Every structure is written in structure tokens, then in C-alpha cells.
Amino acid sequence: MRVSRSHHASRAPSTCRVARVARAKIVCAATGPVPDARVVVIGGTGRVGSSTASALIKEFPNLNVTLASRSDDSFQAAISRRPELSKASFQRVDITNPDSVKALLTSTDADLVIHTAGPFQRSKNYAVLEAALDTRTAYIDVCDDTPYSEGAKAKFGERAKEAGVPAIVSGGIYPGTSNVMAAHIISIARQEYDDNWNYRTPAPGEGVEPKWLRYSYYTAGSGGAGPTILETSFLLAGEEVIVYKDGKEVVLPPISNRREVDFGPGVGRKGVYLYNLPEVVSGHKYMRVPDVSARFGTDPFIWNWAMWLTARLIPRKLLNDRNFVKRFAALSDPLVRNVDKIIGEAVAMRVEVDMVGGKNSSGIFVHKYLSQSMGYSTAAFAQSVLQGKTKPGVWYPEEPEALQDRRQFLQLAATGCSRFDLNRSAWALESEIKQIGGLIYW
């Protein structure tokens, strides 16, 4: 796993989980154990929740894991997909009812609750976070909605500090792992680590400042993540997009400003489009990057056009109606599932940081299965929280208070990756690099 500050070659420890990349220095921090603890995964019978529970059970068998949702039948369906979930227990919960959530956390004596019951778009329901604070239970969610995550910080940040409760919002894969990749690159550039990789405040004039942060995401089909990802996509088609340019907020139409991005061998060049994602606001506000944008694309390519047309032909009023979008997603789901069987569920992320002065540092993450990588990303956040390496308060993944050890996080999050490469020049991540007369062209 290349998470180092230099570009000199070295060997990785034999226990390193992630893909080794030619010419990349690979430094792996040990994946530390977690104490015996009780973890509740709300939405745990869905695709994201069951993937998270699966990763926790496989990596930390000493944990007591409870899956919670509205339906007993969904628990049996989850076990049929992932037999290892038979090691977990099940309880019903209604996340629209704060008393139901609080009773769940109390009855299980939970040490950590992971909220995966999306979509979060248009939601103002903070019942899970409120119950976590009331019961002094650590909290993680996989929110991919800007107003929801910003609301969580604004409304509950101080309360979480006073209660001594650590909470991470937007702690999935994207946002989540992608934020940590960006933060690690930027902290290295700013020299915000000491020789032991502890956070430090650099002296004036040390390091280099970031100028532009670009997030680019790709999944094949729906990524095998179930109908929730369809609902999320349709809801995002109804949102104007916030980006930052020259340090100022700019609002643009959804699914616009196409950019072709090279995700490297095995994925290649893909068209990606602007979406309104929380890592843009958090990257600008908490990583202090003047210019930030986030784009997403999928295969087959016609899906991108279908989303573009959805954003422009379906009235915004309907796209803002969660009930309509739920029905629309249910109608689309069978077709998408059939296409997924053919095209797979690969995921790729590329994070690019342009520095003041012209230097560029980038990272890439490629995994064959989105659902598996989502589970390991969320489990990596859980590892930090359970180890006591997350401070009380409500934090985005990139904030230093969220993760004491980013290298340990990245090791676990990148489990199973076919490629994981970090802190390299952009040209080094391209699919085809040609060298002519000592110069490199791409």
C-alpha cells in the first residue's frame, strides 16, 4: 500500500493486504485488534449494512454483532446472500421512531451503532444519532448527502463532545475512504505528520498548500448495492451541484460538466459527471482546499445519458419527492439487476490534488466488488472508533479527530483491491504511459 512520503522503492511487509504496485513504496501499518464490543448495524440486512457486518465478522470475530431492520424476512435473505451473517443476531427497529432506536441500543448495550439505512437525501431524521448520544453509544453513518452530514455536525457536534461520544459522518467508501485518501495526500504535502506519523502543526513556511482537489468515481452498473443506490442517484439528479472555484462556491446543474478520467489498467478511461456530494463541502471547509469538485460515472455508458435525461426531463418537484423516487427506483431495479449480471460491480476512485506551484499528487483505488469494498471501508472506520482512536464529537472522515492512524485505516479499507496506489504523480496512474527521448507523454 503506497501511503508514504517519498517515491523511492522498497519492499512491503509480507502481511500487507493490498495490491503491490510496481515502483511504489508500500508501507503497511498493522491492522490492530479491537476490544470485545457490541456493534449494532442499523439497515444491517441491506446491501451496504450486510457488507459492513460481514467485514466486521470476518476481521474481528470477537465482536458481538447485531443486525437491525424492520423485517425478520430481510435477515434471512441477508444470511442467504452472506452465510457468515448467521453469527450475528437480529432485532427489529423503526428508525423513524426515536424511542424504537433508543430501546434497541439500550437492550443490546451497544458500544457502537453503524447507521446504513439510507438513502439520506432529503432526510431530516437524526433519530439514530440522537439515540446514540442519549445512550452514550459511538456512532458511524454512511451518509452521502451534504445537508444531512452538515446538519449532523452543526446540530450535534458540541453535544457529542460534552457526552464523550465519538461520531463519524459520511464514513463509507465515497464519501469516506476517498476523503481519507485526499487528507493523507494533503497532510503529507503540508508536512502535518512527524517522523512517527503523529499529527503535528507545521511551522510557517513548511510544506506545500493544495490548490485543487478532484474526486472522480466510477462503478460498473449499480455496483450491486441494491435499490438504495438507485434511489440515491435519482434524488441527486434533483439537486443543484456545489463546487468550489477560486475559493468561492459555485452552483451548477446536476450531472453536468463531463470530464474523461483515466482509472488505470483494468478500468481505463471513463466519462464522469458532477454530482452534489458532501466531500466537496467538507474538503473545502475542513481540509481548507480552495477548489473542490466531485464527479461520478457508470457503465454501460447509456446509464449516464439516462441519468442526464432524468435530471432534465423529470420535474424537479418529483425528484425531490422521496416517495416518487422510491417507486421510480423500484420500477428501474429489475432492469438494472439484469445488466449488473453482465457488467459486474467494479468500483474505481481517483483522487487528484494540484498543489500551489504546480506539483500534483494523486491516488487510485480499484476493487472488483463495490459491495465488499463498502463493507471494508465502513469496518475500517469502526476499527478506529472501537480502538479509541476517534475523539468525542461529530467528524468528517478527513478530520484528524476522526482517525488517529490513517495508514491503519487505509490498509483495512483497501482489503481485496486489485490496485491501491497513493501519493503519486498523476501521470504515474495512467493506463498507458509512453516515454520518448526521456520525456513522458500520456
Side-chain angles (χ1 to χ4, degrees):
M1 176 174 60
R2 182 179 175 82
V3 294
S4 67
R5 282 178 281 191
S6 77
H7 294 278
H8 303 293
S10 72
R11 295 293 294 176
S14 61
T15 56
C16 181
R17 298 167 182 269
V18 296
R20 298 181 181 180
V21 183
R23 298 182 302 279
K25 181 175 180 180
I26 303 174
V27 178
C28 283
T31 300
V34 299
D36 293 349
R38 293 165 293 280
V39 180
V40 173
V41 184
I42 291 182
T45 61
R47 299 282 179 169
V48 177
S50 62
S51 298
T52 298
S54 173
L56 290 171
I57 289 169
K58 290 177 179 178
E59 296 299 318
F60 309 110
N62 60 307
L63 293 179
N64 183 320
V65 178
T66 298
L67 309 188
S69 73
R70 289 185 176 184
S71 167
D72 297 66
D73 291 341
S74 65
F75 179 49
Q76 296 305 318
I79 291 175
S80 68
R81 296 194 307 270
R82 297 181 177 277
E84 65 273 14
L85 297 182
S86 61
K87 298 177 182 178
S89 58
F90 173 79
Q91 285 203 33
R92 293 184 185 179
V93 68
D94 178 3
I95 64 169
T96 65
N97 183 341
D99 291 336
S100 175
V101 182
K102 190 172 180 179
L104 168 69
L105 300 185
T106 301
S107 66
T108 56
D109 195 20
D111 298 294
L112 169 65
V113 57
I114 303 176
H115 182 9
T116 69
F120 292 87
Q121 280 71 20
R122 313 288 186 277
S123 176
K124 296 181 180 179
N125 175 17
Y126 293 99
V128 179
L129 179 52
E130 289 187 89
L133 297 178
D134 287 342
T135 58
R136 295 181 182 268
T137 305
Y139 171 92
I140 296 170
D141 69 38
V142 296
C143 172
D144 49 5
D145 180 63
T146 303
Y148 190 94
S149 55
E150 282 289 276
K153 279 187 69 71
K155 295 177 180 179
F156 302 103
E158 288 304 315
R159 183 176 163 189
K161 290 179 184 178
E162 292 170 2
V165 173
I168 298 176
V169 294
S170 299
I173 182 171
Y174 56 82
T177 296
S178 57
N179 306 45
V180 180
M181 290 169 65
H184 199 51
I185 290 170
I186 290 169
S187 285
I188 290 171
R190 284 178 170 153
Q191 298 186 27
E192 292 177 336
Y193 298 127
D194 64 19
D195 290 340
N196 295 316
W197 296 94
N198 298 313
Y199 295 112
R200 62 183 283 267
T201 301
E206 280 191 284
V208 181
E209 284 296 309
K211 174 65 174 67
W212 198 332
L213 168 58
R214 301 181 185 89
Y215 292 104
S216 300
Y217 306 126
Y218 161 82
T219 66
S222 72
T228 298
I229 199 169
L230 292 177
E231 291 182 50
T232 297
S233 299
F234 293 142
L235 287 165
L236 286 171
E239 288 187 11
E240 297 296 323
V241 176
I242 295 174
V243 302
Y244 290 90
K245 173 66 174 172
D246 297 325
K248 297 180 180 179
E249 180 181 303
V250 178
V251 179
L252 297 171
I255 316 174
S256 63
N257 291 68
R258 181 183 185 275
R259 180 174 180 243
E260 190 170 274
V261 173
D262 193 338
F263 291 98
V267 178
R269 295 183 180 274
K270 302 293 180 181
V272 292
Y273 303 78
L274 289 176
Y275 279 79
N276 193 41
L277 300 174
E279 56 266 48
V280 173
V281 172
S282 65
H284 176 75
K285 184 179 293 187
Y286 303 107
M287 285 193 280
R288 309 185 310 281
V289 183
D291 303 350
V292 191
S293 62
R295 288 176 169 85
F296 172 81
T298 187
D299 271 336
F301 185 71
I302 193 172
W303 281 170
N304 297 305
W305 284 109
M307 289 303 303
W308 185 90
L309 287 171
T310 296
R312 284 151 183 81
L313 297 182
I314 296 181
R316 190 66 55 86
K317 182 178 180 180
L318 291 177
L319 291 175
N320 288 329
D321 183 336
R322 287 171 61 97
N323 291 326
F324 169 81
V325 167
K326 188 177 184 67
R327 294 193 299 270
F328 190 29
L331 184 66
S332 307
D333 187 60
L335 175 61
V336 172
R337 293 292 141 250
N338 287 328
V339 173
D340 281 358
K341 293 176 183 178
I342 300 171
I343 205 164
E345 57 167 290
V347 59
M349 306 189 293
R350 180 164 172 150
V351 177
E352 301 170 80
V353 185
D354 293 343
M355 308 296 177
V356 173
K359 181 183 176 181
N360 171 282
S361 291
S362 301
I364 200 162
F365 177 113
V366 181
H367 198 291
K368 188 176 181 180
Y369 301 107
L370 173 62
S371 58
Q372 184 183 112
S373 59
M374 284 191 300
Y376 272 93
S377 288
T378 311
F381 286 110
Q383 177 183 229
S384 177
V385 171
L386 292 170
Q387 289 175 337
K389 294 181 178 180
T390 301
K391 293 184 178 181
V394 178
W395 313 109
Y396 280 103
E398 63 265 41
E399 294 185 88
E401 295 86 352
L403 298 172
Q404 182 178 315
D405 188 343
R406 288 175 179 154
R407 295 188 303 159
Q408 177 187 265
F409 169 87
L410 290 167
Q411 179 188 347
L412 183 56
T415 297
C417 278
S418 58
R419 187 181 188 191
F420 181 73
D421 207 358
L422 199 60
N423 204 42
R424 301 202 61 188
S425 297
W427 61 261
L429 304 180
E430 303 293 323
S431 294
E432 296 182 8
I433 302 172
K434 299 178 181 179
Q435 186 166 335
I436 303 175
L439 299 177
I440 294 175
Y441 298 86
W442 67 93

